[in-house]
Amino acid sequence: MATTFNQSTTYAGKVAGGYIRQAFLANDSLQHVTVRENVEYKEVVRKLVDDVTFEAPTCNFTDSGTVTTSERILTLQQFQVQRSVCKREFLDDWSPKPVQDGDMNVDFNEALIQNMLAGISARNEVVLWQGVSSTTEYNGYATLFETVGSGVNMVSTPVAITKANVNSKIEALIDACPLKVRRATERPKIYVASNVAEMYRRAQADAGNGYFFQSGQAINMTWIGTYEIVECPGMPDNMMTMAQKSNLWFGTNTISQWNEVFTLDMKKLDGSNNVRYGATFFAGAQFGFGNEISAYIV
């Protein structure tokens, strides 16, 4: 869709909303974790455990059992992506007439915005799992799981996943996840790296499940029809985890902040032929009950 670029325009309306929403949702793993919006820097997420026991009946009210509360903190970090391009670079491409007239090419503007949003999504997919807190990353799940005191049930002696061992290693992951979680009303998911998903599909094909040959990734993967297997492109190779969706959190301030890509034509400000593009957003990851998560990290 053609867009008129003035001196300064923030694309936060209907068109940009469509771009960023698609890019945000293309961050594959976000479809399978709990997205917490409207977090103002930090959010204290309280956890409650009520150990229900039956008691013998009495005439009086007699309290019993144990109610335990604890909390975890989801902390956001702010990040930005900025680009600067010179309009003269497009005199030979991208329909040069607008550039000759002193304007930026509309097609290029739209293409660059979409590429920026796609790049933000792809990068966030990786940081969500592999990030280590710094000025350019927040702590991803792999880092959080391996933090001392996390309580996550780690599969011992993990090795690289192959077609020959993928089934047994998934079984080890399942066995490490507490039975009460596996049988909960909210069934946990098995999150796997792309190379693990590939080995699983090949193992299924070798076992005679020929529909994997015909449909490939179109087939919804499950473990014996009980647990959904989710491929997470941002996971490091050979990683797997089993958790409930409600126990894995991704936090941001507002989705609308991910919706804003500004453009600034510098000609009227400093006389140059440069156009600047920028996006600013908040992000962070956290989990709830570590003892209700199992993880396989090589």
Side-chain angles (χ1 to χ4, degrees):
M1 178 179 178
T3 305
T4 300
F5 284 76
N6 298 314
Q7 175 180 331
S8 176
T9 304
T10 297
Y11 288 84
K14 181 178 180 181
V15 174
Y19 287 155
I20 188 66
R21 176 61 63 174
Q22 291 172 13
F24 187 76
L25 294 181
N27 191 165
D28 294 1
S29 295
L30 292 186
Q31 314 310 304
H32 304 284
V33 303
T34 299
V35 177
R36 305 184 73 93
E37 297 183 50
N38 303 316
V39 177
E40 295 184 2
Y41 177 52
K42 286 186 178 182
E43 180 176 74
V44 178
V45 184
R46 292 176 174 81
K47 305 183 299 180
L48 182 149
V49 177
D50 185 359
D51 295 324
V52 176
T53 57
F54 291 173
E55 307 291 339
T58 64
C59 292
N60 298 317
F61 180 87
T62 304
D63 62 304
S64 62
T66 302
V67 175
T68 304
T69 61
S70 60
E71 63 186 34
R72 289 186 68 82
I73 298 176
L74 173 62
T75 303
L76 302 188
Q77 294 175 239
Q78 188 176 23
F79 305 99
Q80 66 183 30
V81 176
Q82 296 182 341
R83 298 286 186 269
S84 179
V85 296
C86 176
K87 287 180 283 188
R88 291 184 55 82
E89 299 295 329
F90 302 93
L91 284 173
D92 297 326
D93 298 304
W94 298 89
S95 302
K97 182 61 166 62
V99 179
Q100 293 171 353
D101 294 339
D103 298 323
M104 193 61 179
N105 181 271
V106 171
D107 292 338
F108 176 80
N109 272 288
E110 293 183 350
L112 183 58
I113 289 172
Q114 291 186 66
N115 283 344
M116 283 181 63
L117 297 178
I120 291 170
S121 173
R123 181 59 186 162
N124 191 55
E125 170 70 30
V126 173
V127 176
L128 182 67
W129 292 102
Q130 302 186 42
V132 178
S133 183
S134 66
T135 56
T136 59
E137 296 181 354
Y138 55 88
N139 279 335
Y141 295 127
T143 301
L144 294 168
F145 291 167
E146 294 189 297
T147 301
V148 174
S150 71
V152 173
N153 302 290
M154 307 296 291
V155 177
S156 60
T157 61
V159 297
I161 300 296
T162 67
K163 182 172 62 172
N165 69 14
V166 63
N167 288 332
S168 64
K169 297 308 178 184
I170 292 178
E171 285 182 347
L173 178 77
I174 294 171
D175 291 343
C177 187
L179 185 61
K180 67 175 184 178
V181 178
R182 288 181 268 154
R183 290 295 173 263
T185 302
E186 180 195 351
R187 284 298 172 90
K189 299 173 184 276
I190 298 174
Y191 303 79
V192 302
S194 290
N195 76 307
V196 178
E198 183 66 19
M199 293 302 104
Y200 180 74
R201 285 190 284 265
R202 293 185 186 183
Q204 291 296 311
D206 286 355
N209 298 323
Y211 47 82
F212 275 92
F213 274 125
Q214 303 299 322
S215 301
Q217 292 181 333
I219 295 293
N220 291 326
M221 296 184 293
T222 67
W223 181 257
I224 56 176
T226 304
Y227 309 113
E228 180 183 3
I229 298 177
V230 177
E231 180 177 351
C232 303
M235 266 191 178
D237 282 353
N238 305 304
M239 179 178 172
M240 300 185 290
T241 189
M242 189 171 190
Q244 294 168 308
K245 177 179 179 179
S246 62
N247 205 18
L248 298 177
W249 311 327
F250 170 78
T252 188
N253 193 314
T254 60
I255 298 299
S256 64
Q257 288 187 323
W258 292 71
N259 291 357
E260 295 176 357
V261 176
F262 74 81
T263 65
L264 185 63
D265 191 333
M266 300 299 293
K267 183 175 182 179
K268 296 180 180 180
L269 297 178
D270 61 12
S272 71
N273 285 313
N274 297 317
V275 179
R276 294 179 178 178
Y277 298 79
T280 304
F281 44 87
F282 290 82
Q286 189 54 276
F287 64 86
F289 295 85
N291 61 357
E292 295 186 358
I293 298 172
S294 61
Y296 184 105
I297 303 177
V298 176

